[in-house]
Structures are given as C-alpha cells and as structure tokens.
Amino acid sequence: MQMVEQWIQWLGSFGSDSDGGVTRLLYTPSWKEAQEALKGEMETLGLLTFYDDAGNLFGRLEGTGGERSCILTGSHVDTVKRGGKYDGAYGIVAAITALSRLRERYGAPKKSIETVAFCEEEGSRFPYNYWGSTFMTGTASYTAMEQTRDQQGVSFMEAMAQAGFGPGTHGRGPRQDIDTFIELHVEQGAILEREQRSIGIVEQIVGLHRYTVRVHGEANHAGTTPMAYRKDAVRAASAMIVDIMNETERFGAPLVATVGQMELVPNTPNVIPGEVIFTIDIRHPDAEALKVASESLVATVQRVADCMGMQADMERWMNVAPIAMDKALTDAIEEICKQQGQSYRRMPSGAGHDAQIFAAHCRTAMVFVPSRGGISHSPLEYTEPDQLEDGVRVLMDLLYRLAY
Amino acid sequence: MQMVEQWIQWLGSFGSDSDGGVTRLLYTPSWKEAQEALKGEMETLGLLTFYDDAGNLFGRLEGTGGERSCILTGSHVDTVKRGGKYDGAYGIVAAITALSRLRERYGAPKKSIETVAFCEEEGSRFPYNYWGSTFMTGTASYTAMEQTRDQQGVSFMEAMAQAGFGPGTHGRGPRQDIDTFIELHVEQGAILEREQRSIGIVEQIVGLHRYTVRVHGEANHAGTTPMAYRKDAVRAASAMIVDIMNETERFGAPLVATVGQMELVPNTPNVIPGEVIFTIDIRHPDAEALKVASESLVATVQRVADCMGMQADMERWMNVAPIAMDKALTDAIEEICKQQGQSYRRMPSGAGHDAQIFAAHCRTAMVFVPSRGGISHSPLEYTEPDQLEDGVRVLMDLLYRLAY
C-alpha cells in the first residue's frame, strides 16, 4: 500500500525547484505534466478520469445506487512560486489514497465519488484566484479572464489554449451534480502543532477586508528641518501601525490584522518621507465582528492622522465574506475523530480555500492536518507522515458514511 | 549692473530640465558648458581664470599687498538629478557679483581674492561627496577614486579624463595658499523664512550618524497566525520609530532624527513581515550631544526589540563629526548684519557643505539666505531676488574688511 507521504514526494517531483520547493504555475509545462501524471495514476487505481474545459482533473468511482449527484473531494494542483510540496497537493493525494483504499476494502460505493485536482487556486501566475472552483461552480466566466495576462504578458486565454484547454476543448463546463465537497489541507498555521492536535475541523473560512492606506506628509531635508516643523509620514504611519496592532489584540482572537506591504516616498536616508503607503489585511470568521473591527481600525488610522495634522486616504480593495462549513458534516467529522481516538479541535480557517467557493453551492467540509512551525508557501512546508495518514483516516470514514 | 537673480537664471540654463529644474552632473557635457561659460564671464569681469586638475574653476582678483595667501569664496557647480537653480549656483554667482562690484567701486584689493566653482559636492553621479573641496584641501586622492564608477559603469577617472581633467592636466593640485574660505548658500530649510530673517550666520555644520537597523521577526501567513503567536517585524519597527521620534523631541532642538528609508521582507499584503530594514539619520551640531543622543536612540531600539522578543541588529555606516565655523568671522558677519540693518540669526547648518571640508584647514565662514518653503533639491527651489542681493551685500562688506 502506497503511503500518503510517498504520493506527496512523487507529486512534488513535477515542478521541483533546486532548493526542495515546488513551482507549478497554471498551464505551464510542469503543471501539465503533474495533471497528466495524476490522470495516469487515477486510471491505474481504477478511476474513470476526465478533464473539464478549464483543466480541472477528475477521477470518478461510479456509485451503484443510480443517484445522479456525487461527492467531490480534492484540492488544487498549482503552487505559489517557490512553494512547498504539501499545500494543495495533500488534498489531492489524500483523496486518491482514500478512494483507492475504500474501493480495495469495500468495492464500489452506492453514491459516486470523484477526486479532483483543481487547475488553480493560488493566483500566482495570473491575478485571479480560485479559477478551478469558480469555473466548476459557474461563478467565473471566460469573459472575465479575457483581459487577464501574466507578468510576461501572456494572455490567460492563450496560456489555457496552449495547455490544451479552453471553451469546448473537453466538452465539460460547470457542474450541477456535485452535492458535497470535502477538502483536506495542511493548516498553514501553527495552532494544531502548538496544541498538539492531529485534526482541525474547519467551522468557517474567515472573511477578509484589505485596505491600502496613504499617509500624506511633507518631504523635507533630514538635516535642515527641525522636529517641530516636520510632517513626517513614516512617523504617522508607525503610530498608526502600533495602534492598529494594540487594538486588534484588545478586540481579541480570532481577529487578526496584518500590515504586510509598505512603501516610503522618496525612500532615501536623508529625506523625511513625504508619503507612506501601506496595506492592512483584516480577517475574522464572523461577518458582523469583521465589519465592526474593520470600522474601528479605519477610525484608528483616521484618529492618528488627525492627531498629527496629516491626511490619510484609505481604500478598501478586497472584501470577502466569511462562510460557514456544513454543520452536519462538521459534526460528523467530530464524531469520527472521537471514534478514531484522534485529538482534534474545531477552528476557523484563516486562509482562503476552494472550499469557500463550494460552500456557497453545496454542503462542504474542510479538514486540516498540522503544518510544522506553521510554515507554508515555502520549501520548508512539512507535515509528518503519520499526520498525513491521520487526515486520510478521517476522510475515509467520512466518505464511507456518506457514500457506502 | 547685473543682478544676482539674472546670473542664477543664466547659470540655470546649463543642464536645464523641461520642468524648470537643473541636472548638471560632474564631468557631463552640461557641467563642462557651465564651467566654460562661468570662465568666460569671470574673464569678462577682469578676473584671472584657471582650472585645477580636478576641474575646480577659479577667478582671481590679484591683491596689491604681495601677500602669498588668499581668500576663497564660492560654492559648487554640480547639482543633484532634477535639482534646482539655487543650490550651489548661488554661492558661485554671489562670489562673482561681489568681486566685480568691489573691483568696480574700490579697484584692486590688498589681499588676493578668488572666486571658485567647485567641480562637485552632491555625490549625485559618483558615490563620493565633496570631490572639489577634498581635492583642493588634499584630503582626497586619485587612488580612492580609481574604483569608483557611476550607475552606467563609467569609471570616475575615465569621466574626468573625457572632460579634460585628471592628473597633470592643468598642472594644479591641492592648494596651500588659501587662508580663508567663505561660502554663501541657500538655507535648504525653512527656519529663516518662518522667522522672517534675511541672513543665517552658520555657527556649526552639524555632525551626522547614520545607522541601518535590521529587525528580525518571523514571516508568517497573515490569516492563519493568531496575534499571540506573531513575531511581527513591522510592528516592532513601528514601535521603535515612534519611540525614536518621541525621544528625539524630548532631547530637544537642534537634535534631529529621520527614518528615511525602510524595506519590508517579503513585502506582500498577506504575509507578516519577517524582516524590516530601516535607516536612522541623527544630526546635532555638538559632538558630545550627538554621541549621547545616538547612544540613547540605539538603546531605545534595543529596548523595544527586547520588549517584543525580537532581535535587532544595528550598524553605523556614517559618522561625520560636527565642525565649527571661525568665531572671529562669524562675529564679523554679525556686526555687518547689524550695520546693514539686516535681520539675521545665528544657526547651525543641518546639511553638509564644502565649508565643512575647509573648516578643518583654514578659517571658514558660511552665510545662508532663505529658501522658500525650505524646499531644496527640487525644481521648486526659490529665493527672492532681494534676498539673493542681501546675501551679496554681506559678502561684499566681509570681503572688504578682510581684503581691502
């Protein structure tokens, strides 16, 4: 029996970087090789394989019950640039492993089950996330992609066509027959590791607001401008960031706020910055709490600006609503964990996943396994072989309950 | 009689940018044209002109007293990229104007006076400042310049040779016969304007310490890392900057501290910065106060790092000692201002100038005129025509006292 860890190493060989990481961007040769290799393995394991027009790959185990709708399980095959072997890949190989072991042990299910390797989730080549799952659920259209280009200027439609996909290529568009989606994924955080739990049962995927703040001060000579005459944009921005972080902590978990990107103008040691631009990323699993926290942080920025006699412009350029996973599925996973004697915790997902796209269309569940040091999007991503197997055991029992 | 303002406009036509600014970088064609044009004007006004091997241009009014040593007055002909018409240029045209008016009115002086257009002060083409004055005072050598290249890869020695200068080209190296240097300059700050003074009498040129601070945190996912688990380098850097600025204000004027340059790693909205690098520029006219303030700010950075459980490395990469102008000359300028009924103030120079190089070798004085809005190194540099003339009146009386 092939262990999940072996599958992870095998899939990581497609697009492998010299430093042990993986770069497998949408519609590139290494991406195509990975999908084709997965297709071959799925067939070897007795699954019926097919692509849709976007390049999502499916491996179907036909149910005997004659029911039209089916269960989908899997994750995305693409990676970030210089990413790791586990993000996305784990959900695909866990699905294949679970399906092949169930088939070996129990034969065909009553209800059809499909494994999926979504073509894209990371948005690392083109400035668009969740292409695979939004295509499948009919929430994305080719029209929206027609103007999209990668950093080399290659158009999305051209890249898709070169990889052998696009309108009509495989005769399969959005799906109406998926009634359940289950995604296994590495946590990409350190909560399970710190609390020594094997399984994270995702209750919600957090909502997210993203802002750009522009602080307008006055650029001046660092030597000839007394402190009292300054309108120092970096001093104001720093005071804002200190207050944002303190207030986020006062608000309490699970609220998180991050200033990840910052630019000083002109950004030279002997000039007082006349302008500072920075981003704020704010996340919470509850829509109302997210709204309240966001408004409060915006007010904080404004208060500091007023206090220092400077102007601050704020623009919200991302607004993703939090979404809950299916309660019955979540409860079922908890029961399974208890039966299997696995340590677990219910938790929100702080990162976005394909599961959030499906949750708006069908019952959806998501299961996390630990990430060593919480490290993700890095060649250093790692989950222990036993932990990978723990997740698959949960998936197998869940699929058995739902399909057999 | 040609007014100073006309000279400023005329000199600003060499290397003029489309936006009204000036770019006249060392040894470039526009630089050479400016020096040659100045040479022509100096000759027209009856001065004996010559270059030294570095490309400094002199216009000498021979004294009748037979004394070997002479008085030098002027400033630098080079500009920053997209700079203004006044920085440097004013000191040159003020010197030429003063000398020609004195000669017209009183004939030859007892003691020889030379105007100078230093080849370089700004360090804008090659990574070296004060080439003109350090060459003249013998504190720079060709050896140090041999490895120096501009951003296009052109070597300093090659650029110098192409402009017609370099070892032996004019048979004139460092000077031993300068016993007095006087530099007029625009303030490049807003103190005179705010206090409505015509003349700034520079008492010291500030000393300067420059540091690079590297704050080491932990890069982590913005969504999956609870606030309590973070080692957020930008939060720590922000707390440091707030404390640096507050402490600088508590220390009081004339201490100034500036964080002008900052870089976040990886600098992307959805990743908690693992590293932040920023510069601190600290200036004070008193050596001991500068030392004490610097040590205190370094301790502040360290204290914040310790407090937040992070590491901060600090490197001091610039250490320029403050230097005093000649007290007798400074007193003489004050007397002249009183006699002329000019409003004035004694003040430090927060910016570096060629005067600081000469102050270590001969008695040196420096006079400021106002800069509108304190703006400098910008096409928007401006000083009113009357204010330009005010400075020249002071220079004329000072030269008269010293040389006639």
Side-chain angles (χ1 to χ4, degrees):
Chain A
M1 187 170 77
Q2 173 135 331
M3 304 305 284
V4 183
E5 168 63 17
Q6 293 171 282
W7 282 107
I8 289 281
Q9 296 305 330
W10 168 78
L11 186 48
S13 69
F14 300 96
S16 62
D17 296 323
S18 57
D19 56 3
V22 183
T23 301
R24 205 159 51 217
L25 304 182
L26 179 62
Y27 301 142
T28 58
S30 62
W31 173 92
K32 185 70 189 274
E33 284 165 28
Q35 289 290 66
E36 285 290 291
L38 280 167
K39 189 167 178 283
E41 293 295 328
M42 287 178 184
E43 285 163 5
T44 303
L45 294 169
L47 306 179
L48 174 73
T49 63
F50 53 93
Y51 285 108
D52 66 13
D53 290 350
N56 293 310
L57 169 68
F58 303 87
R60 185 175 174 99
L61 186 57
E62 194 66 39
T64 55
E67 191 184 345
R68 189 179 163 270
S69 61
C70 78
I71 297 166
L72 186 71
T73 179
S75 191
H76 59 93
V77 75
D78 70 318
T79 69
V80 297
K81 289 176 192 159
R82 304 193 59 245
K85 291 182 180 138
Y86 296 80
D87 180 358
Y90 175 58
I92 300 170
V93 301
I96 296 173
T97 308
L99 225 59
S100 76
R101 290 182 191 169
L102 283 170
R103 183 170 169 274
E104 201 169 297
R105 205 172 302 173
Y106 306 109
K110 285 207 195 75
K111 180 170 177 146
S112 300
I113 310 174
E114 290 183 19
T115 61
V116 62
F118 293 121
C119 57
E120 194 278 336
E121 186 256 8
E122 297 286 4
S124 293
R125 179 173 177 191
F126 297 94
Y128 187 90
N129 285 82
Y130 309 120
W131 167 239
S133 50
T134 56
F135 176 85
M136 272 195 71
T137 54
T139 43
S141 69
Y142 294 121
T143 318
M145 312 307 288
E146 271 164 7
Q147 301 308 312
T148 305
R149 292 180 178 273
D150 69 9
Q151 286 190 331
Q152 274 68 52
V154 179
S155 85
F156 187 91
M157 299 304 282
E158 191 183 317
M160 183 161 54
Q162 279 177 1
F165 300 99
T169 47
H170 291 72
R172 292 178 187 258
R175 300 276 294 265
Q176 309 292 339
D177 60 333
I178 312 291
D179 69 5
T180 309
F181 175 61
I182 305 160
E183 184 171 13
L184 264 63
H185 207 281
V186 290
E187 181 195 344
Q188 303 181 277
I191 295 172
L192 294 175
E193 181 183 67
R194 289 195 181 223
E195 299 190 358
Q196 298 192 294
R197 314 285 174 113
S198 308
I199 300 292
I201 307 170
V202 176
E203 292 189 288
Q204 314 93 359
I205 294 178
V206 297
L208 184 162
H209 288 175
R210 232 174 248 173
Y211 291 86
T212 293
V213 183
R214 278 176 188 271
V215 185
H216 303 280
E218 265 177 32
N220 263 310
H221 192 295
T224 61
T225 315
M227 298 305 283
Y229 295 176
R230 298 183 175 207
K231 288 196 173 185
D232 181 343
V234 84
R235 184 181 188 178
S238 298
M240 289 167 186
I241 293 167
V242 167
D243 284 5
I244 286 166
M245 295 306 160
N246 289 341
E247 192 161 325
T248 301
E249 280 187 341
R250 270 198 301 276
F251 204 97
L255 180 69
V256 289
T258 304
V259 172
Q261 198 171 54
M262 192 164 175
E263 186 195 344
L264 275 56
V265 180
N267 204 32
T268 185
N270 63 345
V271 179
I272 301 158
E275 195 176 16
V276 172
I277 303 115
F278 65 90
T279 57
I280 318 178
D281 173 299
I282 308 167
R283 307 193 193 199
H284 198 286
D286 179 79
E288 182 58 23
L290 177 62
K291 181 170 171 285
V292 170
S294 254
E295 285 169 358
S296 165
L297 294 180
V298 166
T300 295
V301 167
Q302 199 50 62
R303 192 175 57 243
V304 173
D306 292 347
C307 208
M308 302 185 84
M310 265 175 259
Q311 202 196 321
D313 300 333
M314 297 192 72
E315 187 201 351
R316 187 168 74 185
W317 50 276
M318 198 181 274
N319 179 8
V320 179
I323 195 155
M325 300 295 100
D326 182 75
K327 188 169 180 317
L329 284 185
T330 305
D331 290 346
I333 295 167
E334 184 169 14
E335 269 180 46
I336 291 167
C337 286
K338 283 180 181 164
Q339 282 171 2
Q340 294 183 347
Q342 301 222 43
S343 62
Y344 67 91
R345 67 163 286 170
R346 288 169 172 264
M347 61 191 295
S349 169
H353 293 289
D354 290 308
Q356 78 196 54
I357 307 301
F358 278 91
H361 292 81
C362 67
R363 59 178 183 170
T364 298
M366 184 151 201
V367 172
F368 281 162
V369 295
S371 294
R372 187 172 64 188
I375 296 169
S376 180
H377 289 185
S378 154
L380 300 176
E381 265 180 15
Y382 183 72
T383 301
E384 288 175 22
D386 287 353
Q387 295 173 325
L388 299 172
E389 296 292 338
D390 287 341
V392 171
R393 283 164 57 212
V394 171
L395 178 61
M396 283 175 68
D397 279 9
L398 183 62
L399 290 174
Y400 186 81
R401 280 186 184 216
L402 296 170
Y404 279 85
Chain B
M1 187 170 76
Q2 174 136 331
M3 303 305 284
V4 183
E5 169 62 18
Q6 293 171 283
W7 282 107
I8 290 281
Q9 297 305 331
W10 168 79
L11 185 49
S13 69
F14 300 96
S16 62
D17 297 323
S18 57
D19 56 3
V22 183
T23 302
R24 207 160 50 217
L25 304 182
L26 179 62
Y27 301 142
T28 58
S30 62
W31 173 94
K32 184 71 189 272
E33 284 165 27
Q35 288 290 65
E36 284 291 290
L38 280 167
K39 188 166 179 283
E41 291 296 327
M42 287 178 183
E43 285 164 4
T44 303
L45 293 169
L47 305 179
L48 174 73
T49 63
F50 55 93
Y51 285 109
D52 67 12
D53 291 349
N56 293 312
L57 170 68
F58 303 88
R60 183 175 176 98
L61 187 57
E62 194 65 39
T64 55
E67 191 185 344
R68 189 179 162 272
S69 62
C70 78
I71 298 166
L72 186 73
T73 179
S75 191
H76 59 94
V77 76
D78 71 318
T79 69
V80 297
K81 286 174 193 160
R82 303 193 60 246
K85 291 183 179 136
Y86 296 79
D87 180 357
Y90 175 57
I92 300 170
V93 300
I96 296 173
T97 308
L99 224 60
S100 75
R101 290 183 191 168
L102 283 169
R103 183 170 170 276
E104 203 170 294
R105 204 173 301 172
Y106 305 110
K110 283 205 196 76
K111 181 169 176 145
S112 299
I113 310 175
E114 290 182 20
T115 62
V116 63
F118 293 121
C119 57
E120 193 278 336
E121 186 256 7
E122 298 286 4
S124 293
R125 179 173 177 191
F126 297 95
Y128 186 91
N129 285 81
Y130 310 120
W131 167 240
S133 50
T134 55
F135 177 84
M136 273 195 70
T137 54
T139 42
S141 69
Y142 294 120
T143 318
M145 312 306 288
E146 271 164 8
Q147 301 308 313
T148 306
R149 293 181 177 273
D150 69 9
Q151 286 190 329
Q152 276 68 51
V154 179
S155 84
F156 187 90
M157 299 303 282
E158 190 184 318
M160 183 161 54
Q162 277 176 2
F165 300 100
T169 48
H170 291 72
R172 291 178 189 259
R175 298 278 293 266
Q176 309 292 339
D177 60 332
I178 312 290
D179 70 5
T180 309
F181 175 62
I182 306 161
E183 183 171 15
L184 264 63
H185 208 280
V186 290
E187 182 196 343
Q188 303 181 275
I191 296 172
L192 295 175
E193 181 183 68
R194 290 197 180 220
E195 298 190 356
Q196 298 192 294
R197 314 284 174 113
S198 308
I199 299 292
I201 306 170
V202 176
E203 292 189 289
Q204 315 92 0
I205 294 178
V206 297
L208 184 162
H209 289 174
R210 231 174 249 173
Y211 292 86
T212 293
V213 182
R214 278 175 189 271
V215 184
H216 303 279
E218 265 178 31
N220 263 310
H221 192 295
T224 61
T225 315
M227 298 305 283
Y229 295 177
R230 298 183 175 207
K231 288 197 173 185
D232 181 344
V234 83
R235 185 181 187 178
S238 298
M240 288 167 186
I241 293 168
V242 167
D243 284 6
I244 286 166
M245 295 307 160
N246 289 342
E247 192 161 326
T248 301
E249 280 187 341
R250 269 198 301 278
F251 204 96
L255 181 69
V256 289
T258 304
V259 172
Q261 198 171 54
M262 193 164 175
E263 186 196 344
L264 275 57
V265 179
N267 204 32
T268 186
N270 63 345
V271 180
I272 302 158
E275 195 176 17
V276 173
I277 303 114
F278 66 89
T279 56
I280 318 177
D281 173 299
I282 308 167
R283 306 193 194 200
H284 197 287
D286 179 79
E288 182 59 22
L290 177 61
K291 182 170 170 285
V292 170
S294 253
E295 285 170 357
S296 166
L297 294 180
V298 166
T300 295
V301 167
Q302 199 52 61
R303 192 175 57 242
V304 173
D306 292 347
C307 208
M308 302 185 85
M310 267 174 259
Q311 201 197 322
D313 300 332
M314 297 192 71
E315 187 200 352
R316 187 168 75 186
W317 51 276
M318 199 181 272
N319 179 9
V320 179
I323 195 155
M325 299 295 102
D326 182 75
K327 187 169 181 316
L329 283 184
T330 305
D331 289 347
I333 295 167
E334 184 168 15
E335 269 181 46
I336 291 166
C337 285
K338 284 179 180 165
Q339 282 171 3
Q340 295 183 348
Q342 301 222 43
S343 61
Y344 68 91
R345 67 162 285 170
R346 288 169 173 265
M347 62 192 295
S349 170
H353 294 289
D354 290 308
Q356 78 196 54
I357 307 300
F358 278 92
H361 292 83
C362 67
R363 59 179 183 170
T364 298
M366 184 151 201
V367 172
F368 281 162
V369 296
S371 295
R372 187 172 65 187
I375 296 168
S376 181
H377 288 184
S378 155
L380 300 176
E381 266 179 14
Y382 183 72
T383 300
E384 288 175 22
D386 287 354
Q387 295 172 326
L388 298 173
E389 295 292 338
D390 286 341
V392 171
R393 283 163 57 212
V394 171
L395 178 60
M396 283 175 68
D397 279 9
L398 183 61
L399 290 174
Y400 186 82
R401 280 185 185 217
L402 295 171
Y404 280 85

